[in-house]
Amino acid sequence: MTSLDPAAPSVLVFDVNETLLDIESLGPHFERIFGDANVLRTWFGELVTYSMTLTLSGYYVDFFALGRAVLQMVATIRDVALTDDDVRSLAEGMRTMPAHPDVAPGLAQLRADGYRLVTLTNSPHQPNVSSPLDNAGLGDFFEHQFTVDTLGVFKPSIHLYRRVAAQLGVDTSQCMMVAAHTWDTIGAQGAGMRSALITRPGNAPLVTAGVPQPNLLACNITDLASLLKPRPGRPPAAEATLH
């Protein structure tokens, strides 16, 4: 797919789980608990489904707590006895997922090319605990790590994307959401952002009438960096908090 007009976007807003961090690293936990590493995808799909359900229904619990509850639900459905150690080990695994190998070089190139880089994730910040991004050695690439917990809604609520742009002092049209999940790119486009879909294995665009298509398709972050043209200069970074 061809590169965008170099005048836009100026801000790249990255999803974290699966887009930057490798959730397949959690596979051994599911192999141990369920005897099948592929249950990871069932759990993750249900986790996303119920996060959206809570937002649409006017409820909120943080993503980690919801992840534990969905794990118990999947275990109950499969008649598996879940232990406290199972829950703790998965929680630790979620906090320490490694970055995909293309991420650091891709982010370095995008930053050198003049883009402002931030993240927006469903995962909450925890007091006095390093974020999964920081644990993966990626935190310094980003001007700010936004999470959904202060607004109490999950992606793809359009309010989240618009608030990120507002806190950065830019219009949503100057932002591009970068995500491995089509539901995330659709939400961002509904809020007025551009989007880039990272087609990690197991992810693809949803092609049908009435569904906005990503502005860019890239197989990874270094590929994205090759598709986006360098900007003439990076605007000053703004201090921002999502509240």
Side-chain angles (χ1 to χ4, degrees), residues 16 32 39 42 48 59 66 107 131 172 187 189:
V16 175
R32 180 175 58 81
V39 177
T42 300
V48 171
Y59 300 104
L66 184 60
L107 293 175
S131 73
T172 53
Q189 286 174 274

Side-chain angles (χ1 to χ4, degrees), residues 162-182:
R162 289 174 176 169
R163 181 58 68 89
V164 166
Q167 292 300 119
L168 293 172
V170 299
D171 190 80
T172 53
S173 64
Q174 294 179 257
C175 300
M176 169 176 274
M177 186 71 206
V178 180
H181 310 115
T182 300

